[in-house]
Amino acid sequence: MTAAAVPSVSMFVELEREAWRALRASTPLTLTTEDLDGLRGLGEHMDLEEVADVYLPLSRLLNLQVLAAQRLWAEQQAFLGGTTQKVPFIIAIAGSVAVGKSTTARILQALLARWPDHPRVELVTTDGFLFPNRILTERGLMNRKGFPESYDRRALVRLLAELKAGRAEVTAPVYSHLVYDVVPEEAKVIRQPDILILEGLNVLQSGVVGQRIPHTFLSDFFDFSIYVDASEQDIRRWYVDRFLRLQQTAFRDERSYFRRFSDLTPEQATAMAENIWGDINGPNLAQNIAPTRSRARLILLKGPDHKVKRVRLRKL
């Protein structure tokens, strides 16, 4: 006697692009081509069709989430007699290097700020919470930059805790990709936004391998989380392509940390990018980033052309 087949069970509703696009409903497209030019990441083929098909439905969903949170806050205000401070709705965006999560974050910031219910939208990247190069060098972590242990997670948790406590003003450190380091004495001031978007590689991770499990996770402060996904083969190719573009542009700046790579031949630059991926970015993706994918509320799955092909939304 054979056992009855057990039906597959998923925590997610899976939507092909066409079905997801229909959920835009009547949400207006408020970005122009000029706006998009300032938001698009290097090497990304983002166009207004992609914004309309993918990011407008997402902005509509997030707007509904924010409105629900605002209504709940108002009800709690009434219950407590008006004693609680309104706090920001926090959205986390995770994913690999070169997958396009920074562009996703900037586009969502622009779209969400155009909704009348939450015009103040701030964006913070976890790059600013990397330990300075001096400290990474002292700890032998320069080749582990981007791995969980290279971040000042206590400072990052403290920032989110202060925001959720209703603090009137908080500051976040600033990172320069040009000099490849945290900028001393420079900070981003955040004053009680309606929404805060936190973008970074490991924001969905529940702990650091080999370290004591923390009492508080970053995800404890998130109201919604997004994981930008693609096949490792595609991400690797996008990373190499981006490295080659940077080698011909930003790396040529005298201030660039990577200035020494600017004179490489195309073959040498490709080999260098492949080595960096194989030694650092690939292992970080496999060991620390990809395993957090299932913790996201929503997953954007990209195809080889960098366009989102499918959306997975966690069931309530």
Side-chain angles (χ1 to χ4, degrees):
M1 184 175 180
T2 59
V6 178
S8 60
V9 177
S10 174
M11 298 183 296
F12 293 89
V13 176
E14 189 156 329
L15 298 161
E16 297 297 328
R17 182 182 175 112
E18 292 74 17
W20 177 255
R21 176 175 56 200
L23 300 179
R24 167 188 173 180
S26 59
T27 308
L29 177 59
T30 54
L31 293 183
T32 66
T33 301
E34 291 73 23
D35 294 330
L36 191 56
D37 287 342
L39 300 171
R40 187 189 296 114
L42 184 65
E44 278 213 56
H45 305 291
M46 179 73 66
D47 54 27
L48 288 179
E49 181 183 17
E50 183 81 352
V51 173
D53 288 358
V54 177
Y55 295 97
L56 284 183
L58 181 51
S59 77
R60 180 182 174 223
L61 173 64
L62 290 170
N63 177 63
L64 293 172
Q65 295 275 336
V66 174
L67 290 179
Q70 290 175 346
R71 284 194 295 268
L72 181 59
W73 174 80
E75 293 291 339
Q76 182 168 288
Q77 279 283 88
F79 176 74
L80 295 174
T83 60
T84 62
Q85 176 68 43
K86 187 177 180 181
V87 297
F89 187 94
I90 297 182
I91 301 168
I93 300 180
S96 171
V97 168
V99 78
K101 63 185 180 303
S102 297
T103 297
T104 294
R106 289 191 294 268
I107 288 175
L108 284 179
Q109 180 187 23
L111 290 174
L112 291 171
R114 285 163 166 79
W115 286 85
D117 312 292
H118 37 74
R120 292 177 298 143
V121 184
E122 290 282 1
L123 172 59
V124 171
T125 71
T126 59
D127 292 338
F129 293 88
L130 285 160
F131 287 112
N133 288 352
R134 173 183 55 81
I135 294 177
L136 293 176
T137 300
E138 290 173 357
R139 298 180 181 181
L141 293 175
M142 277 301 288
N143 286 334
R144 302 276 293 177
K145 200 166 187 178
F147 282 69
E149 62 269 28
S150 65
Y151 292 91
D152 187 346
R153 292 177 70 85
R154 287 192 178 191
L156 187 48
V157 166
R158 185 165 58 249
L159 173 83
L160 298 182
E162 289 176 347
L163 284 165
K164 281 298 190 182
R167 188 162 179 176
E169 182 177 293
V170 300
T171 58
V174 174
Y175 186 83
S176 168
H177 288 278
L178 182 66
V179 301
Y180 197 56
D181 203 355
V182 179
V183 182
E185 309 302 327
E186 189 171 338
K188 178 184 179 72
V189 179
I190 303 164
R191 298 182 177 91
Q192 294 184 314
D194 300 305
I195 298 173
L196 178 98
I197 299 173
L198 179 70
E199 176 258 308
L201 299 172
N202 297 298
V203 293
L204 297 180
Q205 195 171 53
S206 57
V208 178
V209 177
Q211 294 188 10
R212 181 174 59 84
I213 297 175
H215 295 293
T216 305
F217 303 126
L218 294 178
S219 58
D220 291 339
F221 303 99
F222 300 156
D223 297 288
F224 199 90
S225 54
I226 299 167
Y227 185 94
V228 184
D229 196 18
S231 74
E232 193 272 344
Q233 181 180 356
D234 288 333
I235 302 173
R236 181 181 188 134
R237 174 169 52 83
W238 298 338
Y239 174 76
V240 173
D241 289 346
R242 188 178 73 177
F243 186 94
L244 295 177
R245 288 188 180 91
L246 288 170
Q247 194 240 354
Q248 295 298 315
T249 54
F251 290 178
R252 296 183 181 277
D253 191 309
E254 292 292 339
R255 299 166 296 168
S256 174
Y257 178 86
F258 297 103
R259 178 71 178 83
R260 62 190 182 280
F261 295 152
S262 64
D263 294 328
L264 296 177
T265 66
E267 294 76 18
Q268 290 172 329
T270 299
M272 176 63 68
E274 292 280 4
N275 287 337
I276 294 173
W277 181 270
D279 294 341
I280 301 174
N281 295 321
N284 195 20
L285 172 60
Q287 298 166 20
N288 302 304
I289 303 169
T292 70
R293 175 175 44 215
S294 63
R295 304 190 74 228
R297 290 281 303 279
L298 182 137
I299 301 170
L300 297 173
L301 181 60
K302 292 187 171 185
D305 58 358
H306 238 303
K307 294 184 180 297
V308 173
K309 303 299 183 185
R310 191 176 304 118
V311 177
R312 296 186 179 120
L313 177 63
R314 184 184 287 271
K315 298 173 183 175
L316 292 176

